[in-house]
Amino acid sequence: MGRVVRISAVVLVLALGAAACGPEAGARPQGRPTTPAASPDAGREALAAQARVLVLDRPADRRPDVLSGPAVQLTQTFGSAAEPYPAGVYDVRVACLGTGSVTVSHPGGETVAKCGDKTPAAATFTMRKTAPIAVTVTPDDAALLHGAYAVSLTDPVLVRARAALSLPPSGRNPLDRSGVLFGRTVLVREKDLGTGSVYVDIRCAGTGRVMIRFGDTDDVCLNGRTTIAMGMLLWKGQGDLVAVPDAEATGAAAYAVAVQRP
């Protein structure tokens, strides 16, 4: 506070008289504005925002497949019968801050995150067919009062791009990669491939238009809502392989690349 306010006796008497009469019906009370009382969950909402940062590769992204908030019992369904999530492999990340722990049930089983652990709990599950994905959050007693959480699933457009690959990723080759496009992206650097020929399989999914460029060659990997495969390229040193999304595809389209030697 620190500030001393001196009020004259006359002003004080007038103020007391006005208070005794009270404000007219419907009139807005005058004087210093009051500060709204803080929500009892405001602190846990702040923790939930921090938990979101832990489970997202790009915290600023507005993702539909992220769930967060004060730890309460709830079930959230991602997708719908009209717009189901695609079949494929999904990663789930769970972060919890505060006290206690939360258990997240998903198609692959249960994942438990201890509140306060800065490393998210992680699991992987496979969807055998297109369907909505139900996720249930169950906090323990300590988290119910003092915890907040965040849950993220793999972006479904990324799953769709991965599932479209003809060449399965080797799991050992660091050049096998995928991701959501947020601007011009170098998919494979020519120097990383070394000498000789390799097969490169590229798939895109999502919305907008994505161009693939290597050397002086351009090809369309994605146009509209259709997933278009570039097929198998016999790589003979055409330069870096680059994906260029247009404005609509930026943040809404994904790519997957698999590399194998013949």
Side-chain angles (χ1 to χ4, degrees), residues 137-163:
V137 177
T138 305
D140 65 8
D141 291 342
L144 185 61
L145 296 175
H146 304 290
Y149 73 95
V151 180
S152 71
L153 298 179
T154 305
D155 194 316
V157 297
L158 182 55
V159 174
R160 187 174 292 115
R162 289 175 180 169

Side-chain angles (χ1 to χ4, degrees), residues 96-163:
C96 184
L97 296 177
T99 61
S101 63
V102 296
T103 299
V104 176
S105 303
H106 47 75
E110 292 184 344
T111 301
V112 180
K114 183 179 179 181
C115 298
D117 192 342
K118 298 294 185 173
T119 301
T124 299
F125 63 88
T126 300
M127 291 280 288
R128 301 296 178 187
K129 60 182 180 179
T130 58
I133 297 178
V135 172
T136 298
V137 177
T138 305
D140 65 8
D141 291 342
L144 185 61
L145 296 175
H146 304 290
Y149 73 95
V151 180
S152 71
L153 298 179
T154 305
D155 194 316
V157 297
L158 182 55
V159 174
R160 187 174 292 115
R162 289 175 180 169

Side-chain angles (χ1 to χ4, degrees), residues 179-202:
V180 177
L181 292 164
F182 289 95
R184 181 183 182 276
T185 303
V186 177
L187 307 184
V188 182
R189 295 190 181 278
E190 180 182 358
K191 66 178 183 179
D192 294 336
L193 291 170
T195 59
S197 299
V198 294
Y199 288 110
V200 181
D201 189 15
I202 308 164

Side-chain angles (χ1 to χ4, degrees), residues 33-250:
T34 59
T35 301
S39 164
D41 272 340
R44 292 206 291 163
E45 291 288 358
L47 286 178
Q50 296 174 36
R52 286 177 65 91
V53 173
L54 296 177
V55 300
L56 292 175
D57 295 323
R58 296 172 62 97
D61 297 345
R62 283 185 276 178
R63 293 259 305 274
D65 46 350
V66 178
L67 181 63
S68 65
V72 295
Q73 174 81 34
L74 61 84
T75 297
Q76 171 75 38
T77 299
F78 296 104
S80 63
E83 295 185 355
Y85 271 35
V89 178
Y90 287 82
D91 296 319
V92 56
R93 296 182 185 177
V94 184
C96 184
L97 296 177
T99 61
S101 63
V102 296
T103 299
V104 176
S105 303
H106 47 75
E110 292 184 344
T111 301
V112 180
K114 183 179 179 181
C115 298
D117 192 342
K118 298 294 185 173
T119 301
T124 299
F125 63 88
T126 300
M127 291 280 288
R128 301 296 178 187
K129 60 182 180 179
T130 58
I133 297 178
V135 172
T136 298
V137 177
T138 305
D140 65 8
D141 291 342
L144 185 61
L145 296 175
H146 304 290
Y149 73 95
V151 180
S152 71
L153 298 179
T154 305
D155 194 316
V157 297
L158 182 55
V159 174
R160 187 174 292 115
R162 289 175 180 169
L165 286 171
S166 294
L167 285 173
S170 66
R172 298 184 301 275
N173 188 338
L175 296 177
D176 295 336
R177 56 172 65 103
S178 60
V180 177
L181 292 164
F182 289 95
R184 181 183 182 276
T185 303
V186 177
L187 307 184
V188 182
R189 295 190 181 278
E190 180 182 358
K191 66 178 183 179
D192 294 336
L193 291 170
T195 59
S197 299
V198 294
Y199 288 110
V200 181
D201 189 15
I202 308 164
R203 308 289 168 139
C204 298
T207 59
R209 181 180 176 88
V210 177
M211 297 296 298
I212 299 294
R213 294 175 178 165
F214 55 104
D216 57 358
T217 303
D218 285 359
D219 206 342
V220 179
C221 183
L222 178 71
N223 191 10
R225 297 185 63 88
T226 305
T227 299
I228 302 174
M230 287 192 67
M232 311 272 274
L233 303 179
L234 193 58
W235 193 275
K236 293 183 178 179
Q238 296 98 326
D240 293 344
L241 190 65
V242 178
V244 183
D246 67 6
E248 184 182 356
T250 299

